[in-house]
Amino acid sequence: MAGGSAADLAPTAAVKIFSAGTAGCVADLVTFPLDTAKVRLQVQGESKDLPKGQKATYRGVFGTIITIVRAEGPRNLYNGLLAGLHRQMCFASVRIGLYDTMKQLYAQGAENPGLGTRLLAGSTTGAMAVAFAQPTDVVKVRFQAQAHQPENGSVKRYSSTTDAYRTIARVEGLRGLWKGCLLNIARNAIVNCSELVTYNIIKEQILKNKLMTDNMPCHFTAAFAAGFCTTVVASPVDVVKTRFMNSVPRQYGGGANCALTMLLKEGPSAFYKGFMPSFLRLGSWNIVMFVSYEQIQRAVVRLQRSRESRFRTV
């Protein structure tokens, strides 16, 4: 996905993996409060119906953020951040860093891979990434979903990230750490295809038609479009995944039962709960991640080539 001058061409797979993982962490640091707001909106209403006339606790993305800050303090907007960074180092590094390699493998040397090849590559790296990162995703979601308000009798579900991994493994078994894995594979296959393929194609078309040069404005535009397309396509699966991961044992019989329960109790609109924070988060996350990814990738390649040229002169 990189382009530019000759000095920036052909980064290795290792460089792409490192750049993608680092860029994912940068994007999470910037957008994590939006992700927390999205999770709170998605799980709202799953435990019990609101009494007639009572307003929901969380209303809108910024209203949710303000409510969390007032009731729990600003630090709780970053609940689960450590697990989120664990996730990005495992997840983004594989799904984004290996995308070009997988695309070339499926293309079998073709210069311009077709849409089917791109989708297959995106689905493959998305599924592979879940296999590595699923436990970190479960812990992140549970931390973000818990409202810590001691005055109302609510207590922290886990005392730390390490405690969360240990407690889930002890109480729910290793299966608990991979809870919702199939849902996450489905969700991330969709997300990866929407995100990477859309970004890839839009960026190529911008450069092909010479609308922009291969620089930040081009990366920004392609990333924003990728974020919107991904949110529209992936929101229903994302909501079900969040609900299922956050659920207590035996609350749902499986991913399909979770989706059916949502549909019967809350209606079709439940599948788009938290859509605006999802879009704000995915759009901003894509922009920060892809811009960072391109720049980190190029910086690492320049550093490598600078070191190589120094060795040659010595």
Side-chain angles (χ1 to χ4, degrees), residues 67-298:
T67 299
I68 293 171
V69 170
R70 285 177 177 170
E72 306 168 44
R75 287 183 61 182
N76 268 33
L77 289 172
Y78 283 89
N79 250 355
L81 176 63
L82 184 57
L85 297 179
H86 291 168
R87 177 178 182 268
Q88 292 305 333
M89 286 309 298
C90 298
F91 187 66
S93 58
V94 173
R95 78 177 182 93
I96 297 168
L98 288 179
Y99 171 73
D100 285 334
T101 302
M102 199 60 63
K103 183 176 68 175
Q104 291 162 9
L105 179 66
Y106 286 135
Q108 296 181 337
E111 284 191 20
N112 296 306
L115 180 61
T117 300
R118 296 170 191 262
L119 292 173
L120 186 58
S123 299
T124 302
T125 58
M128 288 169 60
V130 172
F132 290 104
Q134 183 68 11
T136 64
D137 206 9
V138 171
V139 171
K140 179 184 82 76
V141 165
R142 292 195 183 184
F143 265 104
Q144 288 176 306
Q146 67 180 8
H148 181 49
Q149 298 171 282
E151 67 277 8
N152 293 335
S154 66
V155 294
K156 285 187 176 182
R157 199 170 179 181
Y158 309 107
S159 61
S160 67
T161 305
T162 304
D163 176 61
Y165 288 121
R166 288 174 179 168
T167 303
I168 294 169
R170 185 179 68 251
V171 175
E172 303 174 43
L174 288 177
R175 288 181 61 185
L177 288 170
W178 268 266
K179 191 171 190 176
C181 188
L182 292 178
L183 277 171
N184 220 7
I185 287 174
R187 183 248 184 199
N188 285 301
I190 294 169
V191 166
N192 222 36
C193 288
S194 303
E195 212 169 62
L196 294 177
V197 175
T198 303
Y199 178 83
N200 220 206
I201 290 174
I202 291 176
K203 180 185 169 186
E204 285 177 5
Q205 290 303 311
I206 288 172
L207 297 177
K208 182 180 177 180
N209 292 290
K210 298 181 179 179
L211 300 175
M212 299 178 187
T213 58
D214 189 3
N215 220 317
M216 282 193 188
C218 171
H219 306 156
F220 181 98
T221 304
F224 182 84
F228 180 76
C229 293
T230 303
T231 309
V232 171
V233 173
S235 272
V237 181
D238 190 38
V239 175
V240 175
K241 180 214 78 165
T242 298
R243 291 280 186 96
F244 189 65
M245 281 184 177
N246 186 56
S247 64
V248 296
R250 293 180 294 280
Q251 182 176 347
Y252 300 115
N257 176 254
C258 180
L260 183 61
T261 302
M262 283 174 56
L263 180 63
L264 295 176
K265 285 184 64 178
E266 303 169 59
S269 62
F271 293 99
Y272 279 91
K273 275 192 171 183
F275 178 83
M276 188 51 67
S278 287
F279 171 57
L280 289 173
R281 195 261 175 178
L282 264 177
S284 56
W285 192 92
N286 270 273
I287 290 166
V288 176
M289 196 287 299
F290 279 117
V291 170
S292 300
Y293 175 57
E294 299 274 11
Q295 297 306 312
I296 292 169
Q297 192 172 228
R298 293 178 182 188

Side-chain angles (χ1 to χ4, degrees), residues 292-310:
S292 300
Y293 175 57
E294 299 274 11
Q295 297 306 312
I296 292 169
Q297 192 172 228
R298 293 178 182 188
V300 173
V301 170
R302 288 193 190 102
L303 181 62
Q304 284 181 329
R305 297 192 176 183
S306 173
R307 290 179 66 183
E308 286 174 7
S309 62
R310 284 178 190 170

